[in-house]
Amino acid sequence: MSQAPVPAANSASIGSMMAFAAMGCVQLGLAASIGLAGSLGSEGVAWLRLAWAAVILVAFARPWKLKFTRFTLGICALLGLATAGMTLGFMKAVETIDLGTASALEFMGPLAVAIIQGRGAGRWWALVAAAGVLGLTEPWNAAADLRGVLFALGGAVCWAVYVLLTQRAGDAIDGIGALAISMPVAALAATLVVGPGVIGRMDVQVLAIGFALALLLPVIPFSLELLALRRLTTAAFGTLMCLEPAIAMIVGLLILHQIPRPAAVVGIVLVIIAGIGATRTGRREPIKPLPTADGPELSLDGTAEIRG
């Protein structure tokens, strides 16, 4: 298919603002999910959000009108599996280990991307952000359950894969068409894992709340992340994602009246400094076409389009 053009205003600042907005939506979505988790469980809420997100994105993006190669369809399918693993892995982790430890472990995913793919100063900003995340979460103060640690690390791997695949999918497919394929795959995977245990607890009120939650998390933030990754390197994006614990702490202070510890205040300062550094060094160069060795493009109805 024709490659999505990179906007002329392909600046790191625009991509960073999109990433910040996405993180804000994530935190609002998590805060709004607390009440519903009491009746459905954390896994049930995650499944409901993914299911509604799939419905919303398919209805909005209408993927059957888009053109895909087998290569891009494969990327989108893998992205869906990574999305499901990232979401469910974190929810399973917080069942047996505290939220701070789980967050610190899962953030190792995008941090690893930032450190491995960073160039020059970009790697130093990732290390500064890593120190900030440790200060924010203080994982050394928790007695970590091995099972929870493994789930969190699995979520970290899925998050790293999610960052890499989201950028490739966003480069290859116009608009948010990639999400209209990946999210149904994620919803299907989540249904196979946890759906049978929660479908029977659905009613009209729960479904309505789930629809609103799906907009906050994941529809709006995932769409913003896809657009941000067209403008940022994966290294810069992975570093900026480390601002999320700081945003969560600010939300906790303002809404839940949770007073941050001194180490957390230092962590906030470090991740903000790293975020500024990533913004200044994270602009992407013009993208190159993805390989399409399998020849013709395919629409979802099975028809082929031959390149001219």
Side-chain angles (χ1 to χ4, degrees):
M1 64 180 300
S2 61
Q3 181 181 301
V6 177
N10 182 18
S11 66
S13 60
I14 293 176
S16 298
M17 286 189 290
M18 289 179 173
F20 293 148
M23 288 183 281
C25 286
V26 167
Q27 293 307 315
L28 289 174
L30 290 174
S33 299
I34 294 175
L36 191 59
S39 58
L40 290 183
S42 58
E43 289 179 335
V45 174
W47 169 80
L48 184 60
R49 290 198 310 248
L50 289 174
W52 265 124
V55 173
I56 294 168
L57 287 166
V58 167
F60 182 78
R62 294 180 292 180
W64 56 86
K65 293 190 174 184
L66 302 176
K67 302 296 183 181
F68 296 86
T69 65
R70 292 183 180 87
F71 180 78
T72 54
L73 279 175
I75 289 177
C76 292
L78 291 174
L79 176 59
L81 294 177
T83 300
M86 175 178 67
T87 304
L88 295 175
F90 184 77
M91 292 301 181
K92 290 292 291 182
V94 296
E95 289 181 356
T96 56
I97 62 177
D98 66 273
L99 185 61
T101 302
S103 297
L105 290 171
E106 195 173 40
F107 269 109
M108 294 302 104
L111 275 174
V113 172
I115 292 171
I116 293 171
Q117 294 203 342
R119 294 291 183 270
R123 293 188 175 184
W124 291 108
W125 292 127
L127 293 175
V128 171
V133 169
L134 291 177
L136 281 163
T137 56
E138 297 184 73
W140 52 84
N141 287 333
D145 176 78
L146 180 59
R147 181 170 173 267
V149 168
L150 292 177
F151 273 119
L153 290 176
V157 172
C158 289
W159 196 353
V161 174
Y162 165 86
V163 170
L164 296 171
L165 291 179
T166 294
Q167 185 173 75
R168 292 185 68 82
D171 288 347
I173 303 167
D174 294 335
I176 58 171
L179 293 178
I181 301 297
S182 67
M183 201 57 65
V185 172
L188 177 61
T191 299
L192 294 175
V193 176
V194 302
V198 297
I199 291 176
R201 287 178 272 172
M202 296 293 108
D203 57 35
V204 175
Q205 182 179 7
V206 169
L207 289 173
I209 295 173
F211 177 84
L213 289 177
L215 290 175
L216 281 175
L217 180 65
V219 173
I220 295 175
F222 282 18
S223 299
L224 287 172
E225 288 174 0
L226 184 146
L227 296 174
L229 277 162
R230 289 178 179 159
R231 295 163 170 83
L232 296 170
T233 63
T234 52
F237 182 84
T239 303
L240 284 170
M241 285 295 100
C242 294
L243 289 168
E244 197 157 329
I247 294 174
M249 182 163 292
I250 292 171
V251 170
L253 176 64
L254 297 179
I255 298 178
L256 304 176
H257 308 292
Q258 297 174 343
I259 308 300
R261 300 175 300 277
V265 174
V266 173
I268 289 176
V269 173
L270 289 175
V271 294
I272 289 175
I273 291 173
I276 294 172
T279 299
R280 292 174 61 86
T281 60
R283 183 183 184 278
R284 288 191 72 193
E285 297 301 322
I287 58 176
K288 298 179 179 179
L290 290 175
T292 53
D294 46 352
E297 296 174 348
L298 301 176
S299 65
L300 293 188
D301 60 7
T303 61
E305 179 184 43
I306 305 299
R307 297 178 184 275

